[in-house]
Amino acid sequence: MSFKIKNNVYWVGKIDWELRKFHGDEYSTHRGSTYNSYLIREEKNVLIDTVWMPFSKEFVKNLSKEIDLEKIDYIIANHAEIDHSGSLPELMERIPNTPIYCTANGVKSLKGHYHKDWNFKVVKTGDTLDLGNGKQLIFVEMRMLHWPDSMACYLTGDNILFSNDAFGQHYASEYMYNDLVDQDELFMECIKYYANILTPFSALVDKKIKEVLALNIPIDIIATSHGVIWRDNPTQIVEKYLSWANDYQENQITILYDTMWDGTKRMAEAITKGIREIDTNVNVKLYHIAKTDKNDLITEIFKSRIILVGSPTIGGGILSGVAEILEMIKGMRFKNKKAASFGCYGWSGESIKVIKEHLEKSGFSVINDGVRALWNPDDESLEKCVAFGREIANS
Ligand code: FEO
């Protein structure tokens, strides 16, 4: 499958409806994904990125039906991660001398992955590549968005920004354009993608977007490397990114807990009651950590102004599922969020302290020392949880 995007620009990628896990098991892809590769056919023929390695034979076969591979003048590797570069080994077997344009870090990453000395051409921000017919590709380094090698490029004349991972989503759709798909699904996948992949780099996202906007270049299409192509009001996703990159939060308190015999769960419900007594506008959401997809949890935390994390004490510490989400939270470097801990215990009762320390190390402003309940909470303990909820709502 291929289709024309505009004039002489074609999509030649792969829609992966089956994908349910990405980055190993680290990212859930409930709606599949796409690996978008693009072919520009001007006086010079250019291939921008490829597709993930398992589809490399299919990709090269389909591409060779589109164009005599020998006629590809340039390959652009905007990003070395294997979901975009994974078909290069198969392709370069066929056209070993074709130049590959990438950043200096791109050469390191591509060599690191494939151990091949291909014909690399290093580019940096502002460098151009002439395609004939009055058109050029302009390169923009996107360092740490989200890898050191990440890069975007812009096609003059057609005003297409090939943004690679930025502005993408793990979202399979045969429609392939932002205006044709279900908008709720689309933006749900966009915010999940930002929350889970780009949050740690928010300061860089903000700086890079402002740098690109200052150039005042017309952008008619944003052709990402995952999910839909933005052709209807394409800068709407840029505006979303600016908002998400600036300590984004909604009026939401998220209560995340794991529980063994429902004691910590009952605490979560009592805390919710206390919050609701003070503030009926705030969106309080409760999630049983072990029963919820971890990337969906990160998305909910991203949207929150306060999170409360609960675990019973076990082995002098916390339940493993809680430890896992706390480890993920640490890597996200969330800003401008408050937090507190809670949990049941039978004898030693360290869980609230362990969670509090994790939250502090992860950059949260911790509201208090947390609340704990001995064994399964009685009415008095639950009343303490309600009071704790009121304090959270007032914080
Ligand atoms: Fe879609 Fe960073 O790879």
Side-chain angles (χ1 to χ4, degrees):
M1 170 188 164
S2 70
F3 60 90
K4 180 192 276 207
I5 298 173
K6 184 175 182 180
N7 298 329
N8 299 317
V9 183
Y10 300 84
W11 178 94
V12 290
K14 172 71 187 176
I15 302 174
D16 186 354
W17 282 98
E18 281 190 2
L19 190 76
R20 288 296 176 269
K21 291 284 182 184
F22 188 76
H23 281 157
D25 263 357
E26 279 302 296
Y27 190 110
S28 59
T29 48
H30 307 318
R31 297 183 173 89
S33 192
T34 78
Y35 318 106
N36 299 337
S37 169
Y38 300 97
L39 181 66
I40 307 172
R41 308 191 66 164
E42 295 293 346
E43 282 174 26
K44 298 291 187 185
N45 297 309
V46 185
L47 180 72
I48 298 180
D49 293 320
T50 67
V51 306
W52 189 27
M53 196 171 261
F55 303 104
S56 58
K57 285 196 186 314
E58 176 185 338
F59 171 75
V60 171
K61 189 176 169 198
N62 289 343
L63 186 64
S64 63
K65 288 180 195 160
E66 289 292 321
I67 186 170
D68 175 354
L69 298 179
E70 297 288 342
K71 292 193 170 145
I72 296 175
D73 297 289
Y74 313 120
I75 296 167
I76 314 294
N78 274 331
H79 181 26
E81 200 165 4
I82 294 180
D83 48 328
H84 309 295
S85 69
S87 298
L88 280 176
E90 184 77 22
L91 182 62
M92 300 315 283
E93 284 285 312
R94 308 276 293 270
I95 46 172
N97 300 316
T98 306
I100 298 175
Y101 289 73
C102 60
T103 62
N105 282 324
V107 176
K108 285 187 207 164
S109 296
L110 288 167
K111 282 189 176 177
H113 279 116
Y114 306 113
H115 312 290
K116 298 282 186 191
D117 225 352
W118 291 320
N119 180 13
F120 294 111
K121 304 282 183 196
V122 172
V123 291
K124 52 190 184 327
T125 296
D127 286 353
T128 58
L129 186 61
D130 211 337
L131 308 189
N133 299 327
K135 292 182 184 175
Q136 282 187 324
L137 275 177
I138 304 174
F139 299 100
V140 184
E141 288 169 271
M142 305 273 277
R143 191 172 298 187
M144 291 319 295
L145 297 176
H146 66 126
W147 271 20
D149 69 292
S150 296
M151 177 173 85
C153 52
Y154 174 78
L155 177 61
T156 64
D158 291 328
N159 305 335
I160 302 175
L161 179 67
F162 297 95
S163 61
N164 196 263
D165 279 334
F167 313 123
Q169 338 81 46
H170 288 302
Y171 184 33
S173 170
E174 298 291 327
Y175 282 135
M176 284 305 300
Y177 286 111
N178 73 301
D179 50 306
L180 299 181
V181 300
D182 181 302
Q183 299 299 290
D184 290 342
E185 283 186 357
L186 172 61
F187 281 97
M188 210 178 296
E189 293 302 337
C190 285
I191 196 168
K192 176 179 175 182
Y193 188 93
Y194 188 97
N196 282 272
I197 295 178
L198 288 161
T199 299
F201 312 111
S202 281
L204 295 170
V205 171
D206 182 71
K207 192 165 163 240
K208 181 55 70 176
I209 288 180
K210 286 175 178 160
E211 184 187 312
V212 173
L213 291 179
L215 299 174
N216 254 326
I217 48 173
I219 296 175
D220 293 345
I221 291 174
I222 297 177
T224 77
S225 289
H226 294 295
V228 298
I229 296 162
W230 299 88
R231 67 176 179 187
D232 175 50
N233 184 15
T235 50
Q236 64 180 301
I237 188 61
V238 181
E239 284 157 25
K240 284 277 186 206
Y241 265 46
L242 278 176
S243 144
W244 293 337
N246 282 280
D247 300 350
Y248 181 77
Q249 55 178 235
E250 297 176 12
N251 186 17
Q252 178 171 330
I253 298 176
T254 303
I255 303 179
L256 313 136
Y257 63 90
D258 203 345
T259 191
M260 293 168 77
W261 299 107
D262 281 355
T264 302
K265 171 187 169 178
R266 291 173 62 231
M267 291 180 78
E269 289 168 350
I271 293 166
T272 304
K273 181 169 178 272
I275 296 170
R276 297 281 300 162
E277 279 177 16
I278 300 295
D279 184 350
T280 50
N281 291 320
V282 65
N283 189 4
V284 186
K285 295 188 179 178
L286 281 75
Y287 292 100
H288 185 310
I289 291 170
K291 292 183 180 178
T292 313
D293 179 276
K294 60 191 179 187
N295 305 106
D296 292 341
L297 288 179
I298 291 293
T299 310
E300 294 302 330
I301 296 165
F302 177 73
K303 292 193 284 185
S304 303
R305 58 184 175 86
I306 300 174
I307 67 164
L308 305 175
V309 182
S311 172
T313 297
I314 182 168
I318 55 179
L319 289 176
S320 60
V322 182
E324 182 187 29
I325 200 74
L326 287 171
E327 180 63 18
M328 287 180 78
I329 288 171
K330 186 163 70 136
M332 292 294 151
R333 291 181 244 150
F334 288 115
K335 300 246 171 12
N336 194 30
K337 293 190 193 297
K338 293 179 181 176
S341 57
F342 64 98
C344 286
Y345 69 106
W347 46 101
S348 54
E350 294 92 339
S351 70
I352 58 171
K353 185 164 173 281
V354 171
I355 293 170
K356 180 177 180 244
E357 285 168 1
H358 273 283
L359 293 168
E360 282 169 344
K361 272 191 221 148
S362 305
F364 285 78
S365 166
V366 176
I367 297 165
N368 54 32
D369 288 337
V371 63
R372 61 182 187 169
L374 185 59
W375 299 116
N376 220 328
D378 58 11
D379 288 348
E380 191 183 331
S381 294
L382 290 176
E383 194 43 52
K384 266 182 24 189
C385 293
V386 174
F388 174 83
R390 290 190 204 108
E391 184 188 343
I392 295 299
N394 282 323
S395 71

Short mmCIF file of all heavy atoms in Angstrom, two decimals, residues 22-23 79 81 83-84 146 165 193 226, ligand 1:
data_model
loop_
_atom_site.label_atom_id
_atom_site.label_comp_id
_atom_site.label_asym_id
_atom_site.label_seq_id
_atom_site.Cartn_x
_atom_site.Cartn_y
_atom_site.Cartn_z
N PHE A 22 5.14 -2.02 22.72
CA PHE A 22 6.19 -1.31 21.99
C PHE A 22 7.34 -1.06 22.96
O PHE A 22 7.12 -1.04 24.18
CB PHE A 22 5.60 0.00 21.46
CG PHE A 22 6.48 0.75 20.53
CD1 PHE A 22 6.64 0.34 19.21
CD2 PHE A 22 7.16 1.88 20.96
CE1 PHE A 22 7.45 1.05 18.34
CE2 PHE A 22 7.97 2.59 20.09
CZ PHE A 22 8.12 2.17 18.79
N HIS A 23 8.54 -0.80 22.45
CA HIS A 23 9.71 -0.64 23.33
C HIS A 23 9.80 -1.87 24.24
O HIS A 23 9.80 -1.74 25.47
CB HIS A 23 9.60 0.62 24.21
CG HIS A 23 9.96 1.88 23.50
ND1 HIS A 23 9.51 3.13 23.89
CD2 HIS A 23 10.73 2.11 22.42
CE1 HIS A 23 9.99 4.05 23.08
NE2 HIS A 23 10.73 3.47 22.17
N HIS A 79 15.94 9.41 12.42
CA HIS A 79 16.05 8.84 13.77
C HIS A 79 16.50 7.39 13.63
O HIS A 79 15.99 6.66 12.79
CB HIS A 79 14.68 8.94 14.44
CG HIS A 79 14.59 8.44 15.83
ND1 HIS A 79 15.65 8.38 16.70
CD2 HIS A 79 13.51 7.97 16.53
CE1 HIS A 79 15.23 7.90 17.86
NE2 HIS A 79 13.94 7.64 17.78
N GLU A 81 16.29 4.91 15.84
CA GLU A 81 15.60 3.85 16.58
C GLU A 81 15.02 2.85 15.57
O GLU A 81 14.61 3.21 14.47
CB GLU A 81 14.50 4.43 17.49
CG GLU A 81 14.14 3.46 18.59
CD GLU A 81 13.35 4.06 19.76
OE1 GLU A 81 13.00 5.24 19.70
OE2 GLU A 81 13.09 3.32 20.72
N ASP A 83 12.44 1.16 15.00
CA ASP A 83 11.12 1.22 14.35
C ASP A 83 11.16 2.09 13.08
O ASP A 83 10.26 1.99 12.25
CB ASP A 83 10.04 1.72 15.31
CG ASP A 83 10.42 2.96 16.08
OD1 ASP A 83 11.61 3.14 16.39
OD2 ASP A 83 9.52 3.76 16.39
N HIS A 84 12.20 2.90 12.94
CA HIS A 84 12.32 3.73 11.73
C HIS A 84 13.51 3.34 10.84
O HIS A 84 13.49 3.56 9.65
CB HIS A 84 12.43 5.21 12.10
CG HIS A 84 11.35 5.64 13.03
ND1 HIS A 84 10.03 5.66 12.65
CD2 HIS A 84 11.37 6.01 14.34
CE1 HIS A 84 9.29 6.03 13.68
NE2 HIS A 84 10.07 6.24 14.72
N HIS A 146 13.31 12.34 20.79
CA HIS A 146 13.60 11.97 22.17
C HIS A 146 14.92 11.24 22.33
O HIS A 146 15.24 10.76 23.43
CB HIS A 146 12.45 11.09 22.71
CG HIS A 146 12.35 9.75 22.02
ND1 HIS A 146 12.35 8.57 22.71
CD2 HIS A 146 12.30 9.41 20.71
CE1 HIS A 146 12.27 7.55 21.88
NE2 HIS A 146 12.24 8.04 20.66
N ASP A 165 9.33 11.19 15.29
CA ASP A 165 8.49 10.80 16.43
C ASP A 165 7.60 11.94 16.93
O ASP A 165 6.49 11.70 17.43
CB ASP A 165 9.36 10.33 17.61
CG ASP A 165 9.83 8.90 17.45
OD1 ASP A 165 9.16 8.12 16.77
OD2 ASP A 165 10.89 8.56 18.03
N TYR A 193 1.09 9.33 24.32
CA TYR A 193 2.42 9.31 23.68
C TYR A 193 3.30 10.41 24.30
O TYR A 193 4.45 10.17 24.66
CB TYR A 193 2.22 9.54 22.18
CG TYR A 193 3.43 9.39 21.31
CD1 TYR A 193 3.71 8.16 20.70
CD2 TYR A 193 4.26 10.46 21.03
CE1 TYR A 193 4.80 8.03 19.85
CE2 TYR A 193 5.34 10.34 20.19
CZ TYR A 193 5.61 9.12 19.59
OH TYR A 193 6.68 9.00 18.76
N HIS A 226 4.71 8.15 13.24
CA HIS A 226 3.74 7.20 13.80
C HIS A 226 2.34 7.81 13.73
O HIS A 226 2.15 8.97 14.10
CB HIS A 226 4.02 6.92 15.29
CG HIS A 226 5.30 6.21 15.56
ND1 HIS A 226 5.54 4.93 15.14
CD2 HIS A 226 6.42 6.61 16.21
CE1 HIS A 226 6.75 4.56 15.53
NE2 HIS A 226 7.31 5.56 16.19
FE1 FEO B 1 9.47 5.89 16.81
FE2 FEO B 1 12.03 6.90 18.78
O1 FEO B 1 11.16 5.79 17.58
#
